[in-house]
Amino acid sequence: AQTVTQSQPEMSVQEAETVTLSCTYDTSESDYYLFWYKQPPSRQMILVIRQEAYKQQNATENRFSVNFQKAAKSFSLKISDSQLGDAAMYFCAYRGYNTDKLIFGTGTRLQVFP
Amino acid sequence: GAVVSQHPSWVICKSGTSVKIECRSLDFQATTMFWYRQFPKQSLMLMATSNEGSKATYEQGVEKDKFLINHASLTLSTLTVTSAHPEDSSFYICSVKGRSNTEAFFGQGTRLTVV
């Protein structure tokens, strides 16, 4: 069975600085998708970034980028130029290529200090 | 991203009563809908997956007679918590996915409090 592990329950960063959130996963599949979701205090889950496993190039969305290491089964999220609005719970998630089911990690609470 | 409307945002009900939560996909056809439960400071736990016109598939440990899921159309799924008890108090979140979508989109969640 696939598992997703986020080893950092909480992280903090100064405004305008850079922070990296860790995520590792375990799977025997070769094709899959990885996601980072943000859950702000409103509790609305928002997709931050998505990575297809068959793509070697790391995904980037504005200030958000990932470091995808397929062999190491690692999928970290880097937030550059952190903003106060980035404060939220961040969940790493895995989805197999032939399934619709998302498997979530336990989340990392990110605090941003002015 | 897609617009997913979940209603109500919060509800308080008496123990023993039933409560229905709606999840609507407003701008695309949701062939698959998911219902999650989230306890405070914890991750999302998948309860069930439903495909339009089919019976829902429940995850292990989720009582299908207690959590009734109906996915009658490509834009609407409902979760009914029957004979609610205080331990059912939680945050319930739906998400939807279209056949051609890679990612799922989430509703804003419903906070259920059973008193």
Side-chain angles (χ1 to χ4, degrees):
Chain A
Q2 294 84 13
T3 58
V4 178
T5 302
Q6 293 179 251
S7 58
Q8 307 155 315
E10 290 192 8
M11 292 284 284
S12 60
V13 64
Q14 204 86 26
E15 200 175 4
E17 296 296 308
T18 296
V19 65
T20 299
L21 308 184
S22 301
C23 173
T24 59
Y25 58 95
D26 190 25
T27 184
S28 59
E29 298 176 316
S30 58
D31 290 328
Y32 49 86
Y33 300 95
L34 295 164
F35 306 88
W36 277 98
Y37 281 93
K38 171 185 177 181
Q39 188 179 40
S42 68
R43 307 293 293 272
Q44 171 87 55
M45 295 285 283
I46 302 165
L47 177 67
V48 175
I49 200 165
R50 176 186 85 203
Q51 175 81 44
E52 290 90 345
Y54 65 85
K55 290 186 178 178
Q56 292 186 333
Q57 188 172 7
N58 290 321
T60 299
E61 285 289 341
N62 300 315
R63 299 182 294 108
F64 299 88
S65 62
V66 298
N67 184 2
F68 173 48
Q69 301 290 327
K70 190 173 184 179
K73 295 180 181 173
S74 170
F75 183 61
S76 60
L77 174 70
K78 185 171 83 172
I79 305 174
S80 304
D81 185 25
S82 296
Q83 300 176 359
L84 295 177
D86 294 334
M89 280 290 288
Y90 286 82
F91 292 98
C92 178
Y94 170 100
R95 180 166 79 81
Y97 189 75
N98 292 315
T99 178
D100 289 329
K101 193 184 295 188
L102 277 171
I103 299 170
F104 285 93
T106 50
T108 297
R109 180 170 299 281
L110 177 66
Q111 292 183 302
V112 182
F113 294 103
Chain B
V3 178
V4 181
S5 175
Q6 193 172 333
H7 178 80
S9 298
W10 59 270
V11 59
I12 301 173
C13 72
K14 289 186 176 181
S15 186
T17 62
S18 296
V19 61
K20 181 184 286 188
I21 302 169
E22 290 187 350
C23 178
R24 292 183 183 273
S25 172
L26 299 182
D27 56 355
F28 78 101
Q29 295 184 331
T31 52
T32 307
M33 287 187 169
F34 309 87
W35 286 96
Y36 295 86
R37 185 173 180 175
Q38 186 179 29
F39 291 105
K41 298 186 179 180
Q42 293 190 24
S43 189
L44 281 70
M45 182 191 80
L46 180 64
M47 298 174 67
T49 303
S50 71
N51 293 298
E52 188 261 343
S54 302
K55 287 186 179 179
T57 301
Y58 289 81
E59 294 299 303
Q60 193 172 12
V62 178
E63 298 176 62
K64 62 180 180 181
D65 295 329
K66 180 168 187 60
F67 298 100
L68 302 179
I69 291 171
N70 184 281
H71 189 168
S73 76
L74 287 171
T75 58
L76 174 64
S77 175
T78 60
L79 167 67
T80 302
V81 183
T82 63
S83 187
H85 289 114
E87 55 265 32
D88 298 325
S89 298
S90 188
F91 193 69
Y92 293 87
I93 307 174
C94 74
S95 75
V96 307
K97 183 179 175 297
R99 187 171 289 112
S100 60
N101 296 121
T102 301
E103 64 259 32
F105 301 96
F106 288 79
Q108 74 270 37
T110 297
R111 176 166 300 288
L112 170 64
T113 302
V114 184
V115 297

